[in-house]
Amino acid sequence: MTARRLLPWAIALFFALVVGFGIAISLGWLEEPALTRSDYVGTTDVTADDARLYRTVPFEWRVTGAAGAFTGSDIAHIRVDPSGERTLICGWLSRDKAGASMRASRWLSEARLRVGDIVISAGFIAPTDSSPGNDLHAGCAGLYDGLRPAGDAALALEGPSVHE
């Protein structure tokens, strides 16, 4: 086949790909999973006994800024409580690593928390200098739409690099 015969087919294939890509975008196939509707409902005191109900969720954070790119790891403490009228998800991050903890807090402000098969914003997780039983307050988010993930659902924090 000559190039003249292939050119119309190549053009038609290109336009078909562009139309297919447009349809995929309009149907949401190429988007990140939608965040589950939730809102910040405040903080709760965490006693030493309550702290045992929180699970540790390790995460890796990445922050970029004028001073360069920084990476690290930290641990958030999260509790899923589906027993009330609305499911509450509460959490805190200990700021025990000076600048690294501040960067981890910055990353968490834009990260997502995966609770089983739902995804919510992790911005509710409260950074704190306190320890359980010593004026520690965990930030809490309430889920909408009657969602009730199990209290022992798998937890994971994820997100892209954020700007400082």
Side-chain angles (χ1 to χ4, degrees), residues 6-19:
L6 290 178
L7 186 60
W9 288 104
I11 292 172
L13 179 62
F14 173 75
F15 283 112
L17 289 173
V18 169
V19 169

Side-chain angles (χ1 to χ4, degrees), residues 18-59:
V18 169
V19 169
F21 187 69
I23 290 171
I25 288 174
S26 70
L27 294 176
W29 293 346
L30 301 178
E31 295 178 0
E32 288 186 53
L35 292 178
T36 300
R37 289 182 345 121
S38 65
D39 64 347
Y40 180 75
V41 294
T43 62
T44 186
D45 292 333
V46 180
T47 66
D49 287 337
D50 292 341
R52 286 184 250 145
L53 301 173
Y54 286 76
R55 294 189 287 160
T56 58
V57 180
F59 63 94

Side-chain angles (χ1 to χ4, degrees), residues 22 32 34 76 92 109 122 155 158:
E32 288 186 53
W92 87 83
S109 71
L155 301 173
E158 54 192 35

